Amino acid sequence: MQQTLSIIKPDGVKKGVIGKIIDRFESNGLRVAAIKKVQLSSFDAQAFYGVHQQRSFFNDLVKFMTSGPVVVIVLEGENAVLKNRELMGSTNPKEAKTGTIRADFAESIDANAVHGSDCLENAKMEIEFFFSKREIC
Ligand code: CMP
């Protein structure tokens, strides 16, 4: 059993596809162990994406992630980290496989509907960034 962090980004929230995206998780064996809607500050987004600080897209990423509320979710299930990444599809929706979340709901590499932890170690850090122990059940 693993836990991983998913974020439904501002574009997904604005489009009104929160339920449709969660359905992809639940229909594929990932349980919602925690969930909340959050408006990130620039400070939050800079800290969360700190690993990308030197990348050319960092400022745009922070601007986009603070452009509206996001929904943060702890997903739990067998092989949750990899399963979530498979369900999301490639970072660039133009390269995402048919039937993946990004192929179906994302517009661009910036507005790409969802974020998902890329490994178990980062999943633990990302979950701790957003949730206290008592919120996860
Ligand atoms: P995410 O999984 O949230 O992790 C970092 C985000 O940066 C990524 O999804 C994309 O939305 C965004 N991004 C913008 N440009 C790039 C790029 N060239 N490579 C990777 N990620 C990018």
Side-chain angles (χ1 to χ4, degrees):
M1 227 25 132
Q2 290 181 350
Q3 289 182 339
T4 189
L5 186 87
S6 170
I7 304 178
I8 303 179
K9 296 188 178 187
D11 56 320
V13 174
K14 278 186 194 131
K15 265 190 201 163
V17 293
I18 296 170
K20 285 183 179 165
I21 291 175
I22 292 174
D23 183 50
R24 300 284 175 103
F25 301 141
E26 293 187 324
S27 302
N28 287 280
L30 293 176
R31 188 180 77 79
V32 174
I35 184 165
K36 60 187 170 189
K37 194 175 185 188
V38 184
Q39 171 64 56
L40 297 180
S41 66
S42 294
F43 183 83
D44 293 329
Q46 282 167 2
F48 182 79
Y49 281 117
V51 66
H52 295 304
Q53 203 166 4
Q54 303 305 324
R55 308 287 293 270
S56 58
F57 56 82
F58 183 68
N59 287 341
D60 286 341
L61 175 60
V62 169
K63 207 169 158 190
F64 178 68
M65 290 301 288
T66 57
S67 65
V70 299
V71 174
V72 284
I73 306 167
V74 177
L75 294 171
E76 189 176 272
E78 248 176 64
N79 249 325
V81 173
L82 187 63
K83 193 178 273 183
N84 180 38
R85 291 187 70 78
E86 284 171 1
L87 292 173
M88 288 193 301
S90 300
T91 306
N92 185 348
K94 291 184 182 82
E95 293 163 10
K97 280 190 196 152
T98 311
T100 60
I101 293 169
R102 283 171 171 155
D104 291 345
F105 302 118
E107 303 302 326
S108 66
I109 196 163
D110 298 302
N112 65 351
V114 278
H115 163 82
S117 311
D118 64 353
C119 64
L120 201 50
E121 196 188 350
N122 286 342
K124 286 199 172 78
M125 290 196 298
E126 293 183 357
I127 289 169
E128 278 174 18
F129 184 91
F130 281 110
F131 292 96
S132 65
K133 279 222 164 69
R134 71 158 74 95
E135 290 176 300
I136 304 168
C137 46

